[in-house]
Amino acid sequence: MRTMRALAALWLAAFCLAAQAQAQRDLPDFTRLVEDQGNAVVNISTTQAVRRTGALPQVPGMEDEEVLEFFRRFIPRQPGPGQPGPGPSPRSESRSLGSGFIISQDGYVLTNAHVVEGADEITVKFTDKREFKAKVIGADKRTDIALIKIDATGLPAVRFGDPAKLKVGEWVVAIGSPFGFENTVTAGIVSAKGRSLPQENFVPFIQTDVAINPGNSGGPLFNMRGEVVGINSQIYSRTGGFMGLSFAIPADVALDVQKQLKEKGRVARGRIGVVIQEVTRDLATSFGLDKPRGALVNSVEKGSPADKAGIEATDIIVSFDGKPVESSSDLPRIVGSTRPGSTSTVEVWRKGATKKLSLTVGELQEDRVASADKPRPQKSAEVQPANRLGIVVAELSAEQKKELKLSGGLVVTEVKPDARASDVRKGDVLLTLVHKGQHTELKSVEQFNKLLAGLDKNAVITLQVKRGEQMAFVTISGLTDKG
């Protein structure tokens, strides 16, 4: 019996040792990757002449925790030597630290646009302590990509991989200079792909849990084959430091941008001239679409490529140039990456069927500041009782139609406190009712209320609304009982 127990103990010990050895073999080893690629990663510091005042400005809202939760560019700005005294001070230097990587042996370096923005002098530092002054070839704020150049040859350059082949859960490695600690290596996994971030319409970000901190900006994200698949650009943080959510610009996006920056010093992007919104499940139901997908067209700019191609408000764009549009955020990326002047096929969902249109892509101009127009005041109209949506509507006068350039529509004069259409506002003009893919233009109060009376209590409908100069679609799930 003792012999059997001893043999069992030996067998168990051997099994545990073998399992431990196997586990060690299965863990990723980053040493070879770092040895091969680390020399191609550089530290970038910039100098900018600024004029300081004695007191720091108070920024409204910065004490709000919600404000601190916004996506932040992570690049620390450190004051130069000497502190300014009271009142205006002489010009001094503001230094910033970031990362970058060499993409060609003749000295081209990729980094983030925000790393070199406003810099009067850029210094690129290698792992062997060599330093070079760099000049900006071009920078693109929309993708946060900058191409800079140093006067050197025979440099170690990175290899690029295909971010489309990345899999969620795959190991990735970042090399950069967080807080100025040069050539710091951190690792993690791909958390998600194709992320859309607020105000970032042209980049399908790679989300990772790789530790990224101030100074990592512009550094490379490697796959396990030692290929660059992304450029570390942003983090999501309550504190300004790493909290497990990091975002990288896919390498294919960066390469396309740098090519245009190198050739022309700027990036040309396509535009078609539409205002869009996301297709929710309720919207898909009311439009008769099989599932929530595509980009719902709110309005079409007069004379734009979309207008000339015959795209209409209430169309749902489901593919562009042969590429599926799964969500509204896909469309700006696809259109933006299309060369201006090229001809593309647009597939739209219109009144329960698909339709293909041919379109010549225009060029996106520089950003323009747009202000939201307030709803126009509406003139008084004949008082009507509330309908099954809990709103009171009236027909537009001839003068109002002329002023608003409309042939029909109903103005909302009152929204009851318990209204089913709670997203509809007083002063809105209702243009179209959509139910199960059927579009009905609204011309009279009697017609509108009759349409509502014929619907099931649980019906899902969508109203096309003109609000000031803007167009929107409002979905309502369920109506009140018939009165």
Side-chain angles (χ1 to χ4, degrees):
M1 181 64 71
R2 288 181 180 178
T3 303
M4 292 293 291
R5 288 178 178 173
L7 288 171
L10 287 171
W11 180 84
L12 181 60
F15 176 80
C16 290
L17 287 171
Q20 184 178 3
Q22 181 65 38
Q24 289 176 341
R25 285 195 298 271
D26 290 343
L27 288 173
D29 184 356
F30 308 116
T31 55
R32 182 66 180 272
L33 185 156
V34 176
E35 290 170 0
D36 291 345
Q37 302 299 324
N39 290 336
V41 183
V42 297
N43 172 272
I44 297 176
S45 60
T46 65
T47 304
Q48 180 181 7
V50 297
R51 184 174 295 278
R52 299 180 184 275
T53 56
L56 292 175
Q58 297 298 313
V59 182
M62 284 306 292
E63 70 282 356
D64 190 344
E65 180 65 24
E66 294 300 320
V67 175
L68 298 178
E69 246 185 286
F70 270 61
F71 287 87
R72 305 177 182 189
R73 305 292 188 187
F74 42 94
I75 175 169
R77 296 194 176 275
Q78 302 172 348
Q83 298 296 325
S89 69
R91 291 173 68 83
S92 56
E93 293 184 341
S94 171
R95 298 180 62 83
S96 63
L97 294 175
S99 304
F101 54 97
I102 305 163
I103 62 172
S104 65
Q105 294 183 341
D106 58 349
Y108 284 96
V109 177
L110 270 185
T111 185
N112 283 151
H114 74 268
V115 170
V116 297
E117 183 179 6
D120 294 315
E121 187 176 85
I122 303 169
T123 302
V124 173
K125 186 176 180 180
F126 286 74
T127 54
D128 60 7
K129 307 305 179 185
R130 288 184 297 165
E131 294 187 5
F132 296 87
K133 298 301 178 187
K135 64 178 181 179
V136 176
I137 302 301
D140 180 53
K141 289 184 179 181
R142 285 191 171 103
T143 54
D144 197 24
I145 296 292
L147 179 67
I148 63 176
K149 177 75 165 60
I150 61 174
D151 187 12
T153 57
L155 301 174
V158 300
R159 304 191 313 273
F160 283 93
D162 185 359
K165 295 180 180 178
L166 271 181
K167 295 181 178 179
V168 175
E170 180 177 340
W171 283 97
V172 282
V173 176
I175 304 179
S177 304
F179 301 107
F181 292 101
E182 300 168 15
N183 276 78
T184 296
V185 182
T186 52
I189 63 169
V190 176
S191 304
K193 294 173 61 179
R195 286 294 196 207
S196 297
L197 305 186
Q199 308 303 318
E200 305 284 355
N201 294 327
F202 299 101
V203 180
F205 285 95
I206 302 167
Q207 180 185 332
T208 76
D209 68 351
V210 178
I212 298 296
N213 281 291
N216 275 115
S217 277
L221 183 73
F222 293 98
N223 62 20
M224 289 301 291
R225 292 180 293 280
E227 300 166 333
V228 173
V229 290
I231 301 180
N232 297 308
S233 175
Q234 298 192 40
I235 58 174
Y236 184 76
S237 175
R238 290 174 179 267
T239 63
F242 175 67
M243 294 187 69
L245 293 168
S246 307
F247 298 89
I249 303 159
D252 55 346
V253 173
L255 285 173
D256 178 65
V257 169
Q258 73 85 25
K259 181 181 178 182
Q260 294 191 60
L261 292 176
K262 188 174 181 180
E263 293 174 352
K264 299 178 290 187
R266 59 182 289 272
V267 178
R269 288 191 174 85
R271 70 177 293 273
I272 61 174
V274 294
V275 176
I276 58 173
Q277 74 179 66
E278 188 70 17
V279 178
T280 63
R281 184 169 297 280
D282 286 343
L283 276 170
T285 299
S286 62
F287 277 81
L289 201 57
D290 57 345
K291 63 177 182 178
R293 61 188 175 100
L296 175 57
V297 179
N298 276 341
S299 60
V300 180
E301 180 186 327
K302 189 175 181 180
S304 67
D307 184 35
K308 294 176 182 177
I311 293 177
E312 302 173 357
T314 73
D315 282 349
I316 297 177
I317 299 175
V318 293
S319 78
F320 187 92
D321 205 22
K323 303 177 182 70
V325 179
E326 294 298 332
S327 69
S328 61
S329 61
D330 292 337
L331 188 62
R333 298 175 194 159
I334 298 171
V335 174
S337 63
T338 306
R339 291 291 178 264
S342 60
T343 301
S344 299
T345 299
V346 186
E347 186 177 0
V348 302
W349 178 261
R350 179 182 295 173
K351 298 181 180 179
T354 56
K355 185 179 181 67
K356 291 187 177 181
L357 304 169
S358 181
L359 177 148
T360 301
V361 178
E363 183 172 354
L364 182 66
Q365 302 302 313
E366 292 300 314
D367 290 328
R368 292 175 293 178
V369 178
S371 60
D373 292 303
K374 295 180 180 179
R376 298 185 183 212
Q378 303 294 332
K379 296 190 176 182
S380 59
E382 183 182 349
V383 177
Q384 298 285 345
N387 54 33
R388 293 184 68 195
L389 295 178
I391 60 176
V392 179
V393 296
E395 294 167 18
L396 295 171
S397 66
E399 184 182 347
Q400 287 174 321
K401 289 178 182 178
K402 183 178 179 181
E403 182 185 2
L404 297 172
K405 298 178 181 179
L406 297 173
S407 60
L410 304 172
V411 61
V412 178
T413 60
E414 185 180 357
V415 180
K416 299 295 184 181
D418 59 346
R420 302 294 295 175
S422 56
D423 290 335
V424 173
R425 304 175 190 172
K426 183 178 179 180
D428 284 351
V429 179
L430 311 182
L431 301 177
T432 308
L433 183 148
V434 184
H435 176 59
K436 292 185 177 180
Q438 298 299 313
H439 299 237
T440 305
E441 293 183 4
L442 303 178
K443 299 184 180 297
S444 70
V445 175
E446 182 182 1
Q447 172 221 23
F448 183 43
N449 290 339
K450 187 176 180 180
L451 285 171
L452 295 177
L455 296 176
D456 182 80
K457 181 179 179 180
N458 298 317
V460 177
I461 65 171
T462 295
L463 296 173
Q464 184 186 16
V465 176
K466 182 175 175 64
R467 183 171 292 161
E469 295 300 319
Q470 306 298 320
M471 289 289 188
F473 289 92
V474 176
T475 302
I476 300 110
S477 299
L479 290 79
T480 58
D481 289 324
K482 297 176 184 180

